[in-house]
């Protein structure tokens, strides 16, 4: 079974998917005239403008909910792996992937808003919704929804819990069984409170965890400030094969940087649109721009924090696949949280293990919350028009059970299965957004035209010739939005 799953995983996460994500990011950056640069000046105004409602959440809550999914253990372990197999130059290519991926994030998140619906009194949306409404291919939408429920509801939560349990055991000696039980209790208290409670927790926890982590990275960087110019030079020279030591692994630097960048920021994978669709805004482009910024936060800030801590302290190995070690500063340590732990310990002895354990707890726990929200949204899509309240309860029970099981068991097979699920989501979503490029670009053009005319943009799909945007056609009240936003 494990051999088959690994074989399937190698096919799904082949170079084809990696370069498809890179190519799509470049395509949307060009076709949107690099909106991720042009509209960043308005990001803070858009982020805090508008109010949550009975049906929706605020733009800031939607941003933090999306970041809950984007910022996870990959921001610690993934960066270490990229450096270990691709060298310091891989960090530059992660930055490139974030810059280009912001274009894809805008498109998918704007589409999530365009084709959202109000179901059971709450905004729901995401790839399953825009595949059915925008492409009129219901079987395709149902397939995406099923794949997402399995991946985010059954497979991935336990893996994140396993990361928490192991790091807590290493740092504090607490049994994984106890840690698992605590995680389940905390998770249940949040998810049984509904989407609004998840959004409120994300709004409070995500900024705190990201800023705290970045602050420690800045302290470590300033304590080694004399090394910073050399580290920056190393990243850029290695990224283009100009460094003597790393010149022979340029291909590995690009491959691992792009791959880990995609894994971390998730742009184009179809995860971000779920949270984006829940936001209460007057125009889909507003939330698209906010979600483009979330890719920057994930990679340019949080991943960079990890990279600078590791590189500036020299706490890393570089051993390209199939080659001898180029750098070996940590012996036989496996790439992962240990690199970051060693980096912090080098500057703040006794602080590294607890700091990484606490960081992993917040990063992974909020990711589990985001996974639940994605699974619940796709379950709601599958259940439309049918009264099956027991399925929602079953999902809550299953995700709590998988979290506990993952805490106390090794999750190698679950990781592989989860990667198959997420990779399948990425293939299905990227194909869908490419087919929906025309309405997505209409949304951006309309937003910019209204801005140029001095208006606060309001979306009218009929005027743009966009069909099946049911909420905006039949339920949206722009007068109410003017009062709140």
């Amino acid at each position: 079974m494990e051999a088959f799953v690994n074989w399937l995983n190698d096919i799904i996460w082949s170079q084809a998917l990696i370069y498809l994500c890179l190519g799509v990011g470049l395509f949307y950056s060009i076709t949107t005239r690099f909106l991720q640069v042009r509209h960043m000046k308005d990001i803070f105004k858009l982020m805090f403008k508008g109010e949550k409602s009975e049906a929706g959440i605020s733009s800031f809550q939607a941003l933090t909910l999306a970041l809950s999914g984007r910022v996870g253990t990959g921001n610690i372990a993934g960066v270490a792996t990229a450096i270990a197999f691709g060298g310091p130059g891989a960090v530059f290519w992660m930055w490139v992937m974030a810059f280009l991926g912001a274009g894809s994030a805008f498109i998918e998140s704007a589409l999530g808003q365009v084709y959202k619906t109000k179901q059971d009194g709450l905004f729901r949306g995401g790839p399953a919704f825009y595949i059915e409404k925008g492409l009129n291919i219901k079987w395709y939408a149902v397939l995406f929804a099923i794949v997402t429920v399995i991946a985010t509801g059954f497979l991935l939560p336990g893996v994140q819990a396993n990361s928490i349990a192991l790091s807590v055991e290493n740092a504090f000696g607490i049994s994984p069984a106890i840690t698992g039980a605590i995680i389940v209790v905390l998770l249940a208290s949040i998810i049984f409170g509904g989407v609004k409670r998840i959004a409120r927790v994300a709004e409070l926890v995500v900024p705190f965890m990201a800023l705290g982590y970045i602050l420690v990275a800045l302290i470590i960087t300033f304590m080694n400030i004399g090394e910073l110019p050399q580290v920056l030079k190393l990243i850029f020279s290695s990224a283009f094969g100009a460094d003597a030591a790393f010149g022979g692994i340029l291909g590995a630097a690009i491959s691992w940087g792009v791959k880990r960048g995609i894994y971390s920021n998730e742009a184009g994978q179809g995860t971000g649109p779920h949270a984006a669709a829940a936001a209460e805004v007057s125009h889909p482009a507003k939330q698209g721009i906010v979600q483009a910024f979330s890719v920057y936060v994930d990679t340019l800030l949080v991943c960079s924090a990890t990279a600078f801590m590791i590189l500036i302290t020299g706490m890393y190995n570089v051993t390209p696949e199939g080659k001898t070690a180029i750098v070996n500063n940590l012996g036989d340590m496996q790439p992962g949280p240990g690199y970051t732990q060693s980096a912090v310990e080098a500057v703040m002895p006794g602080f590294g293990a607890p700091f990484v354990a606490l960081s992993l707890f917040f990063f992974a726990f909020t990711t589990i919350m985001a996974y639940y929200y994605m699974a619940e949204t796709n379950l709601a899509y599958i259940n439309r028009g049918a009264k099956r309240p027991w399925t929602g309860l079953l999902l809550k029970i299953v995700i709590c059970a998988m979290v506990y099981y993952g805490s106390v068991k090794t999750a190698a097979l679950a990781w592989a299965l989860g990667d198959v699920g997420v990779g399948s989501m990425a293939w299905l979503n990227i194909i869908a957004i490419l087919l929906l490029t025309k309405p997505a670009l209409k949304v951006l053009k309309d937003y910019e035209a209204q801005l140029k005319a001095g208006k606060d943009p309001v979306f009218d799909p009929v005027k743009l010739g966009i069909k099946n945007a049911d909420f905006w056609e039949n339920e949206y009240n722009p007068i109410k939005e003017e009062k709140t936003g």
Side-chain angles (χ1 to χ4, degrees):
M1 175 66 177
E2 190 165 348
F4 171 75
V5 172
N6 288 331
W7 171 79
L8 186 60
N9 211 14
D10 287 341
I11 293 174
I12 292 172
W13 281 103
S14 65
Q15 296 293 101
L17 178 57
I18 292 167
Y19 289 110
L20 177 64
C21 290
L22 187 61
V24 169
L26 178 60
F27 170 69
Y28 283 128
S29 295
I30 293 171
T31 54
T32 62
R33 295 177 296 119
F34 293 93
L35 72 91
Q36 61 266 58
V37 176
R38 293 188 298 109
H39 285 295
M40 281 305 105
K41 64 181 183 298
D42 299 324
I43 185 63
F44 290 101
K45 180 177 72 175
L46 292 173
M47 192 188 307
F48 296 108
K49 191 174 183 182
E51 300 288 337
K52 52 195 173 190
S53 66
E54 289 299 316
I57 59 180
S58 69
S59 286
F60 184 70
Q61 286 178 324
L63 170 70
T64 55
L65 186 54
L67 277 170
S68 297
R70 296 192 201 279
V71 178
T73 55
N75 292 75
I76 296 176
V79 175
T81 304
I83 293 171
F85 295 123
V91 176
F92 171 83
W93 293 106
M94 290 184 75
W95 293 340
V96 170
M97 196 59 239
F99 177 73
L100 297 179
S104 303
F106 169 85
I107 296 293
E108 63 181 358
S109 297
L111 288 170
Q113 269 286 328
V114 170
Y115 296 106
K116 71 182 179 182
T117 188
K118 191 183 287 186
Q119 186 175 335
D120 300 323
L122 296 171
F123 288 144
R124 297 285 190 185
F129 294 82
Y130 57 67
I131 289 170
E132 179 181 337
K133 292 185 174 186
L135 297 177
N136 294 311
I137 309 176
K138 188 167 184 178
W139 68 264
Y140 189 0
V142 172
L143 176 61
F144 182 92
I146 291 172
V147 167
T148 304
V149 170
I150 293 172
T152 60
F154 292 78
L155 301 174
L156 290 169
V159 180
Q160 297 289 326
N162 187 260
S163 298
I164 296 174
L166 289 178
S167 64
V168 169
E169 183 179 32
N170 291 336
F172 306 109
I174 298 173
S175 165
I178 295 174
T179 302
I182 293 171
I183 298 170
V184 167
V185 170
L186 289 173
L187 182 65
S189 68
I190 294 169
I191 65 176
F192 276 89
V195 173
K196 294 298 186 68
R197 186 174 296 176
I198 295 172
R200 283 197 298 271
V201 172
E203 182 181 32
L204 293 172
V205 173
V206 171
F208 165 77
M209 76 178 191
L211 289 172
Y213 189 74
I214 292 167
L215 178 62
V216 171
L218 286 172
I219 292 171
I220 290 174
T221 300
F222 281 121
M223 291 178 74
N224 294 271
I225 195 69
E227 302 295 325
L228 184 59
Q230 184 60 33
V231 166
L232 290 169
K233 180 183 176 183
L234 183 63
I235 289 173
F236 285 98
S237 62
S238 302
F240 297 99
D243 183 84
F246 302 108
I249 61 167
L250 175 59
I254 297 172
S255 177
W256 279 97
V258 171
K259 186 188 299 184
R260 288 305 165 198
I262 293 166
Y263 261 84
S264 178
N265 65 51
E266 299 183 357
Q269 288 183 28
T271 54
H274 296 96
E280 180 79 61
V281 291
S282 66
H283 199 287
K286 291 182 176 181
Q287 187 57 205
I289 292 168
V290 169
Q291 293 300 334
F293 179 69
S294 74
V295 175
Y296 286 172
V297 173
D298 171 86
T299 306
L300 300 185
L301 296 182
V302 182
C303 284
S304 295
T306 300
F308 280 114
M309 282 192 286
I310 290 172
L311 293 175
I312 207 162
T313 58
M315 293 293 110
Y316 63 96
N317 296 334
V318 178
T319 309
E321 292 176 295
K323 297 187 179 183
T324 57
I326 297 174
V327 177
N328 189 353
N329 295 333
L330 295 174
D332 59 357
M333 181 182 289
Q334 292 297 309
Y339 282 30
T340 311
Q341 178 181 329
S342 299
V344 181
E345 285 286 342
V347 178
M348 305 174 182
F351 184 64
F355 169 70
V356 172
L358 194 61
S359 299
L360 275 172
F361 173 82
F362 282 118
F363 285 18
F365 184 79
T366 53
T367 298
I368 294 170
M369 287 194 327
Y371 285 157
Y372 168 77
Y373 177 71
M374 292 175 215
E376 184 196 60
T377 298
N378 284 277
L379 188 64
Y381 169 81
I382 294 169
N383 283 336
R384 285 179 311 162
K387 292 192 177 294
R388 302 187 191 109
W390 59 270
T391 58
L393 178 61
L394 179 63
L395 176 63
K396 291 180 175 72
I397 293 170
V398 166
I399 201 168
C400 287
M402 294 305 294
V403 161
Y404 184 78
Y405 181 80
S407 298
V408 298
K409 296 289 184 181
T410 302
L413 181 59
W415 259 120
L417 284 167
D419 283 345
V420 167
V422 173
S424 300
M425 287 170 60
W427 275 108
L428 293 169
N429 183 63
I430 289 172
I431 292 169
I433 63 174
L434 283 171
L435 293 172
L436 288 167
T437 296
K438 188 175 180 180
L441 293 180
K442 280 184 178 180
V443 167
L444 178 61
K445 186 177 179 180
D446 175 64
Y447 174 76
E448 292 180 335
Q450 292 191 52
L451 273 186
K452 191 174 181 180
K455 301 176 182 177
D456 181 11
V458 174
F459 184 56
D460 181 357
V462 176
K463 177 183 173 184
L464 300 178
I466 296 175
K467 298 179 180 179
N468 298 325
D470 301 332
F471 166 76
W472 296 97
E473 285 184 39
N474 305 321
E475 298 183 62
Y476 177 62
N477 183 351
I479 296 175
K480 178 183 176 183
E481 177 63 28
E482 285 174 10
K483 291 179 181 177
T484 60

